[in-house]
Amino acid sequence: MGSGPVERIQQLDIIEREIATAIHSAGLALQELAKEKPQAKQIETHTHTFMKTLMEVEKKMTNHINYLTQVSTGQPHEGSSYAASKDLTLAYHRIDHIKSRLATLERFHHELSPQKPHAKTLQMSDT
């Protein structure tokens, strides 16, 4: 099984075509059964094709599901930069939040701190 995303998508495309083949085989078997005088050999052939294709689809889909469970654990895997990218994005958000909090604190500091030049002016006017 290929490891690249393009190969995985191509394999899923093949699986999709195999599913269509299985559905077609099932339809042919049902058409044969609907006839007034169905031929057992035709029914058997279409049913065999359906079952064989269905087993192949199940095997391939299980492989894909197993792969996805391995790479979706949140742990970085070979060739993935998702975890590093996510960490960087979160770091940018934390920096923005810290800047915002510091600006708020600085504003409160200026509002609450005594105005020293004004206090000196009062002292001078008393003398």
Side-chain angles (χ1 to χ4, degrees), residues 7-60:
E7 291 91 2
R8 292 203 176 276
I9 291 173
Q10 289 171 342
Q11 290 168 357
L12 288 172
D13 187 49
I14 291 169
I15 291 171
E16 183 179 15
R17 282 187 252 133
E18 289 176 349
I19 291 170
T21 300
I23 292 170
H24 181 71
S25 296
L28 291 175
L30 290 173
Q31 277 182 340
E32 191 63 36
L33 282 170
K35 291 181 179 176
E36 194 168 310
K37 293 185 180 183
Q39 294 182 8
K41 182 70 175 162
Q42 288 291 332
I43 296 170
E44 186 178 318
T45 301
H46 296 306
T47 303
H48 177 72
T49 303
F50 170 77
M51 293 303 292
K52 181 181 172 189
T53 307
L54 194 62
M55 287 171 50
E56 282 296 312
V57 166
E58 181 181 15
K59 178 182 165 188
K60 291 176 182 179

Side-chain angles (χ1 to χ4, degrees), residues 86-97:
K86 189 71 174 174
D87 287 343
L88 180 63
T89 302
L90 290 173
Y92 282 134
H93 287 292
R94 287 190 297 268
I95 288 171
D96 289 340
H97 181 71

Side-chain angles (χ1 to χ4, degrees), residues 67-79:
Y67 169 77
L68 289 173
T69 58
Q70 290 172 1
V71 298
S72 67
T73 60
Q75 300 297 321
H77 63 90
E78 187 176 318

